[in-house]
Structures are given as structure tokens and as C-alpha cells.
Amino acid sequence: MFASSTLPDREPLPTYLTPVPKTLEDLGLRFAWLVVAINLAGTAFGFWYYGPQLGETPAVMWPWVPDSPMATLLIALAIACWKLGYEQPWLTSLAFFGNVILGLWTPYTLLAFADAYSYLDPLMYQFLFWSHLAMVVQAFVLHRISDFPVWGVAVAVAWYGSNLIVDYFVPIVGGPHHTAVPVPGDEPMFLGADALGVVAAGEVTFALLAVFLALAIRVKKCEAARGGVSADRAGR
């Protein structure tokens, strides 16, 4: 049930777009249902973790608060759709963006506010740090199941762009809706930035990185396909 012998080809993309070794990619795709189950378990844990913050947030803004569990839910759904033969480019793009952005933002935040996070049990701190980096790893496997069409990337840009807006710039209802950090938003940090500026800078940077990576994958796949067609024509 958990294993599949039919795997999509690994196209010849640059290493910076395929940093995960092929062996590990194949393992993740072969045991895709297990990956789905692990992400659903992480989603359940994440919603539990966000419980106190959700309790203080107006219900209308809940979709924009639990960012990491939403990202693991999206990748679980994206992989499940692919396994069932109905890959959805918009869903895969959302999953890619979410797992790159939140997979990097959480370790970044844990390091930037390491002293303030001292209240966490060391095991919980390590779990949060490494489990989120694992989200980035699985995001880099999604190029095997999707071509990241521009319209699909546009959906992800629209959603995560709105997330940035309500997190840091225009909260809409109440205060900023970013993941709570254990310091006041106006606390001075470094280089003249306050705490809110530090967490915002990280998320904006990682969102721009996700846009670049998704579109670069699209461009390189198109270039490879064009090269293949040209070679085929030359051989006739």
C-alpha cells in the first residue's frame, strides 16, 4: 500500500534547483503515502501548538495564522492528489511555497530569538528546528510531480502575498497575524530593526526565494523540453 514502483523521471535541472539527492527523492516518492501520513500528523500537532494564539485571534483571520501546519497540510494534499492521478499544479505550487517559506522562517526565527526561546524544552526546540528544515527538503522533491505552470505559481504568490500583508503590514482585524514570537514587536534588535522588522524581513526574503525557485524550475523545464524537441527534429 505504501510503496510504488512507478516514479516520475528526474529531469536534468541545475543542482541549485535539485539539492536533494536522487536516492532520497526516489525514497520519498516511493513511500509517498507514508510522507502524506507524516505531514498530516505534523499538521495535527501544529494546530494544537497554535491553539492559544488561535484563541486570541478573530475567527475570520484563522486561515492566515497557523502557517506551518497549513504548509504541511498543503503538501500532504498535493502528494495525495498526485498519487491518485490528479496532480493539481496550483496545490503543488502552494505546497512548494509554504514548505520553503515556513521551513526556513521557523529555524531563522528560533535562531534570531534564541535567548527568548529558552523557555522551550531543549528537545522541543530541536524538534521544531529540524522538522521545519525537513519541510524544505520535501519541497525540493515536488519538481518531480509538477511543472509549476505560471498560473499555478500565481495562485501561490497571491495567497502567500496576502499572508505577508496581514502578518506585518495591514492586519485587517486586530494586530499582526504572524506566528507569535516571545518578544514584543517593538523591541530593538540589530541594525536598527525592531523584532517585528526582523521576522518580517525573514519571511519576505524566503517568499521571494520561493518565487525565484518555482519560476526557475519552470524555465529550466521549458528549456530542457525545447532542447529535446530540437534534438529530436535534428535526428529525423
Side-chain angles (χ1 to χ4, degrees), residues 78-168:
I79 294 174
C81 285
W82 165 69
K83 283 295 290 181
L84 295 172
Y86 300 99
E87 190 266 326
Q88 303 294 317
W90 63 272
L91 183 57
T92 308
S93 296
L94 283 169
F96 181 82
F97 271 60
N99 281 264
V100 169
I101 296 170
L102 280 308
L104 292 173
W105 183 85
T106 300
Y108 160 81
T109 305
L110 288 170
L111 291 174
F113 303 101
D115 291 342
Y117 277 111
S118 60
Y119 71 91
L120 285 176
D121 183 277
L123 290 178
M124 176 61 77
Y125 184 96
Q126 293 296 324
F127 170 74
L128 292 173
F129 189 92
W130 296 107
S131 64
H132 281 80
L133 287 182
M135 291 168 61
V136 183
V137 173
Q138 64 182 5
F140 275 108
V141 179
L142 294 178
H143 72 92
R144 295 279 292 272
I145 70 174
S146 181
D147 290 330
F148 292 106
V150 173
W151 69 267
V153 174
V155 171
V157 169
W159 172 253
Y160 281 100
S162 74
N163 193 69
L164 284 172
I165 290 171
V166 301
D167 274 1
Y168 305 110

Side-chain angles (χ1 to χ4, degrees), residues 164-233:
L164 284 172
I165 290 171
V166 301
D167 274 1
Y168 305 110
F169 305 107
V170 186
I172 309 296
V173 179
H177 301 291
H178 61 80
T179 300
V181 293
V183 296
D186 59 356
E187 180 168 323
M189 294 291 292
F190 44 81
L191 299 178
D194 57 17
L196 182 63
V198 169
V199 294
E203 190 166 342
V204 170
T205 299
F206 301 138
L208 291 174
L209 176 64
V211 174
F212 167 74
L213 291 172
L215 291 179
I217 290 172
R218 176 64 178 177
V219 168
K220 292 301 182 181
K221 285 196 172 198
C222 288
E223 289 177 350
R226 186 181 306 162
V229 170
S230 299
D232 182 62
R233 288 176 177 172

